[in-house]
């Protein structure tokens, strides 16, 4: 079952992009609607954020269920999240902005939701680059410290989504609540691990 889980998860993570490609190329009469570039950009960003939050769910799930092998799914989920977010960024950069660097720089500075999203993406780049076992060995303990950047990146990602939505804020509110719960769980766990046991206190 464990061996089958990774291929199944891979297929499930790839399904949204396959669906978007089918819509983009008009397969089976599908389409992207009246604003195809906006639709493609938004859907890629939403799936990237969902997978980023799913990546953060892995550790609480593994600890709660006492199934450490679940941790092996985290890297795949994280790389899929980065792939969707990179495509989200590139779609905006190339198809929406036509790589107009002065206009892009102005948008990043003057529009808070773009500032938040761009900063989140920049924070995720080194995490994707150093996700291999080779980089884990090279960086040692620094690898774990570096990969804590996923937390501010997720906060900025949720902020980007919330600020971008103009009318229905229910979906970004759900993501923000889920992220708050995941970060709260980690803080409580860190505090519990930091408190010495009576035996450890006596030994100290």
């Amino acid at each position: 079952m464990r061996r089958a889980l990774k291929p199944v998860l891979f297929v499930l993570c790839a399904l949204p992009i396959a669906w978007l490609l089918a819509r983009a190329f008009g397969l089976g009469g599908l389409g992207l609607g009246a604003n195809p570039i906006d639709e493609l950009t938004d859907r890629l960003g939403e799936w990237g954020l969902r997978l980023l939050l799913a990546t953060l769910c892995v550790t609480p799930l593994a600890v709660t269920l006492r199934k450490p092998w679940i941790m092996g799914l985290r890297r795949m989920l994280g790389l899929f999240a980065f792939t969707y977010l990179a495509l989200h960024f590139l779609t905006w950069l190339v198809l929406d902005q036509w790589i107009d660097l002065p206009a892009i720089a102005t948008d990043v500075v003057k529009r808070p939701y773009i500032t938040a999203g761009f900063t989140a993406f920049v924070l995720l780049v080194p995490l994707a680059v150093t996700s291999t076992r080779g980089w884990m060995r090279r960086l040692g303990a620094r690898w774990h410290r570096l990969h804590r950047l996923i937390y501010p990146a997720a906060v900025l990602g949720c902020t980007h989504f919330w600020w971008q939505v103009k009318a229905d804020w229910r979906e970004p509110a759900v993501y923000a609540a889920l992220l708050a719960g995941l970060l709260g769980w980690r803080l409580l766990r860190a505090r519990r691990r930091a408190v010495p046991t009576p035996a450890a206190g006596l030994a100290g």
Side-chain angles (χ1 to χ4, degrees):
M1 182 178 176
R2 294 182 193 179
R3 292 196 190 112
L5 190 56
K6 277 195 174 182
V8 169
L9 183 63
F10 184 94
V11 171
L12 290 175
C13 290
L15 281 177
I17 198 167
W19 174 249
L20 286 171
L21 286 172
R23 294 177 63 191
F25 287 101
L27 300 179
L30 299 171
L32 291 171
N35 297 302
I37 294 175
D38 288 348
E39 175 69 10
L40 187 61
T41 306
D42 291 346
R43 298 294 85 79
L44 286 168
E46 287 170 11
W47 277 106
L49 182 57
R50 289 166 189 158
L51 288 168
L52 190 65
L53 293 174
T55 305
L56 290 173
C57 286
V58 170
T59 299
L61 193 63
V63 172
T64 302
L65 298 179
R66 297 183 180 179
K67 303 288 185 184
W69 59 267
I70 295 176
M71 297 293 289
L73 306 176
R74 187 171 56 182
R75 181 171 176 266
M76 182 189 295
L77 285 169
L79 288 175
F80 262 110
F82 180 78
T83 300
Y84 277 94
L85 293 171
L87 291 172
H88 167 72
F89 174 71
L90 289 172
T91 302
W92 173 77
L93 180 73
V94 178
L95 299 181
D96 189 22
Q97 299 293 317
W98 291 95
I99 320 182
D100 185 348
L101 297 182
I104 289 168
T106 300
D107 274 353
V108 170
V109 171
K110 290 189 174 181
R111 297 188 179 184
Y113 80 93
I114 293 180
T115 306
F118 181 76
T119 306
F121 180 70
V122 169
L123 291 176
L124 290 172
V125 170
L127 307 192
V129 171
T130 60
S131 63
T132 63
R133 294 182 186 275
W135 273 108
M136 289 179 70
R137 287 193 297 270
R138 286 176 208 154
L139 295 175
R142 291 175 295 169
W143 187 89
H144 293 283
R145 291 196 293 270
L146 174 65
H147 279 249
R148 288 175 188 159
L149 289 175
I150 192 174
Y151 305 134
V155 171
L156 288 167
C158 287
T159 304
H160 167 72
F161 188 28
W162 193 305
W163 285 348
Q164 184 186 17
V165 173
K166 297 176 182 177
D168 191 354
W169 48 265
R170 287 174 295 180
E171 187 176 359
V174 169
Y175 296 161
L178 175 59
L179 178 60
L182 291 169
L183 295 179
W185 181 89
R186 282 170 166 81
L187 286 172
L188 286 174
R189 183 168 179 251
R191 286 186 64 183
R192 287 172 184 165
R193 293 171 72 178
V195 174
T197 61
L202 289 171

